[in-house]
Amino acid sequence: MKIAFETATQSDASSLAALVLDVSQQSILPYLESNGKNAYVASIQSDINTVIDGSEYQSFKASINNKLIGFAAMRNTNSLK
């Protein structure tokens, strides 16, 4: 089983948003109040679009057999998001 690392593109946006939501449902959303949950979920897609547009971030996806398993974005200042 080999992990493939590739640059994330706009065509990955919906898959990346689904991955972020899935992880968030387990590790972030349980700790937020209702308003916070709604605001967080509503911001996921626009945040993904921001980090994959290439102007401020370098974004990468990880997959195994074309199944998305991870995502990272590094701002031009070299900080991970």
Side-chain angles (χ1 to χ4, degrees):
M1 198 178 317
K2 184 177 178 183
I3 298 174
F5 295 95
E6 301 173 275
T7 299
T9 65
Q10 191 61 44
S11 65
D12 300 310
S14 62
S15 297
L16 295 172
L19 176 68
V20 169
L21 180 59
D22 185 48
V23 172
S24 297
Q25 286 175 335
Q26 298 172 38
S27 61
I28 295 173
L29 295 178
Y31 304 102
L32 298 177
E33 297 292 328
S34 180
N35 289 344
K37 287 179 185 181
N38 293 337
Y40 179 86
V41 169
S43 72
I44 291 174
Q45 189 66 57
S46 66
D47 289 349
I48 293 293
N49 291 337
T50 297
V51 299
I52 62 176
D53 79 1
S55 64
E56 294 182 52
Y57 295 86
Q58 291 180 310
S59 301
F60 305 93
K61 63 181 181 178
S63 58
I64 296 176
N65 296 327
N66 292 320
K67 182 181 186 313
L68 185 65
I69 61 164
F71 170 68
M74 186 182 313
R75 194 168 185 139
N76 292 339
T77 58
N78 298 324
S79 61
L80 288 175
K81 178 145 174 112

